[in-house]
Amino acid sequence: MRSDEIAWPLSASIVRRALIVWLGIPHPADGSSRDLIMAEEPSALIVRRVMRRLEEIQEQVAGRLVEYIDWSPRPGQPADEERARIAGAVNSQINLAALTQDDLRGTGYDPVAVAGLIRARTASDRQLTRHLSPSGQALYESMVNASAAIFVAVARAAAPGARNVIKALAEDDYIRDRVRNALVHLPSRFHNDPEDTEQLYRTHLADSLDRVELVGFPLARRIGQEQLTATFIRPDVRLHSTPVPVDWALADQPRLFLHGPAGSGKTSILKWLAVAVARRHGDGLLAGLADTLPLYIQVRQLVPGRLSTELSELAFSQPTAALIAGRLRTRAATGSLLLLVDGLDETRPADRAPILNWLGELVRRYPECRYVVTSRNDVAEELLPPRFTPARVLPLERDGIMRLVRQWLGALTDGDPPAATKQARRLIDLIDDDGRLGELASSPLMCALITVLYTQRGNSALRGPSIHEPLAEMLAMRRDNERAIGDSGRWTYRTVRQLLMALATAMVFRGSDELAEPEVLDILEREFADRPEIHDTPAVAYEHLRTRVGLLTEPVPGRLGFVHRTFRDYLSAREVLDEKLFDKAVDHAHDPSWREVLITVAALADHGDADRFATLLLRRYRNEPARRVLLGPVTQNCLASMHWLSPEIRHEADIAWQELLPGGGSQVFIVEIPRQEGWEPLARWLRIESSTRFDEPVSVTPDEGDIIHRLLITGRPGLRLGQVVETMTEWARMNRHSVIVRDAAGTEIVIHPSQMRSRFV
């Protein structure tokens, strides 16, 4: 028999088993690949398309298997009959082992561990492997290892989820291409040679870490498994008080300590470096690291009471690393090992001193290695091992934001450069026009999430202050909870949120972006008096807030602030609403530092709260003519942001609006929609952050008719027809409704969800 004929049945079993993982079937499944697809997809046409793609993947797998079948690790090539018996035996073991997605997760997708699991589950069924020649026995062991590695590579090519996988297989070559790329990186041989085993370790490490982790974000599971290397950009760091590219710091400093707030990209830097070095893809200044071997260590996975300095026990992929334990020690002794220690802060406070002692012992035992260590918080230089150079990861500048947006959109649009470029321009314009978004986007994590939100939900998801809630919860709690970091469940998110709101409100009332430690302790003591569920002392709580709540940062020792001022403003606005502090808030309406807080209160307020807040604002504006130059703009922006006012208060606000417009008059546009659609949803949508939608505050008032509904959009003289048309086009496309826009000059624009045309009347 030819080698390809021998490999074909085994390749079919591997692909079928990977398909079970892709479809998310939690238990061993019977039936062919076609049966599995037909159970999820009723369309015969789609089933045929999917099966063609699976056959192409099977051909790739078979081609890789042939390379291993045609090679023998011992002198004397097994005869064709024996090779066929070996392939049949491995095929039977793959099917009997019945590997599932839970099995892969349990082994960490480590091919050595998966091969061990296959052997363990089929230990009692070795009839087909009896009486093999020595070369045949060696080939059999090699084929089990190779099949396990190929299965892992194929299974990782798609994120589990029946509908997404079937759609991807039917419509494009994405999964097939990822399988091909994964198979290319596998070792050329599978036996106990150190070179080949090291290559297996490099491949597994790179494939494991080349994944984006949007941990704790609700939409993270919807974007699949994006490659880190496809979305990563190299940030700058502050080294010796000087901003430099991160690869300069990595190349120049044999012991580098990277620190920065949550979401600044510390873990991504380590993973990107590990992947580049494992695949020997280092370029420029990092080319000198190509001959080193990376060892990635997650501190949160270490057990404080059993901290080891044995390198193979610290590795991210222990089963594979154990095979090259001697090689790791040799590389450490010669200085060709790169130790990447991620998250010194991701432990309980009581465990941090032992972790620092462990790091010191590691450096003393392996002084020739290169080290890169990360932590959310800075660590005093005297507590670090000798010769570590601290560097702070800096926020993204506009150029970095643009590059990161393009990278992400390129990944999310399936390699469609024109579509990615077009979307990137729109999103970057949106970020440029909204200071709040621009501040958030300076964090690589926030920038990535903004891009994902934009691709999934459009412009409307980024407008208004409500964008802060999922981001705040993610940084405050969900990331640590989902990564199982010790001490992450100390408090509920409700408790953390209340404490953060109290701190944010104190900062706003004091006109500061930071609070000193004694001020924070006083606030916590007052808050704890009303919260019997909290058993911590203020000092313990302060330490937890400082080190684990990602919304907070310590710009200088002994002072706490928010990672972005927009979170301070959002949380203080929530406090104003929850505690009904409208009188106190309006008392500060003349203060420019309160502007964003007041506008956020206006946008979030509903029903009675909105009426009360608007009434107080209008009353103060009318009663204090001397301060109208300060009160007018913020009142105008607040009225433009409110969308829950009662008809009486809305009428009063519209009258006041005319008074608030500058002396140059106003621009009025008429928007018409069919009567059956109802004007309320559109009016609410337009009023949510109208100053962002139109680049300035506007008034939206209804004018009902018998056949159509009219909305009058009134703004300053600078409001342009194009801005109104662009906004209404977005609404028409989202809601699949036609809209007519008219201006005072008689221009009429008819907007259809799929096309737009204009005519003059």
Side-chain angles (χ1 to χ4, degrees), residues 653-682:
D654 288 338
I655 294 175
W657 183 272
Q658 300 302 321
E659 300 175 8
L660 292 167
L661 284 171
S666 62
Q667 284 278 28
V668 180
F669 297 91
I670 300 173
V671 173
E672 295 182 352
I673 59 174
R675 182 174 176 80
Q676 65 268 22
E677 304 303 339
W679 61 268
E680 294 90 346
L682 173 57

Side-chain angles (χ1 to χ4, degrees), residues 28 53 64 103 120 144 210 228 260 276 279 343 424 432 536 538 547 606 659 661 666 670 727 739 746:
R53 202 75 71 206
R64 204 72 174 94
D103 294 326
V144 172
D210 197 7
L228 174 73
R279 291 177 177 163
D432 284 342
D536 295 313
T547 58
D606 57 7
E659 300 175 8
L661 284 171
S666 62
I670 300 173
T727 299
V739 183

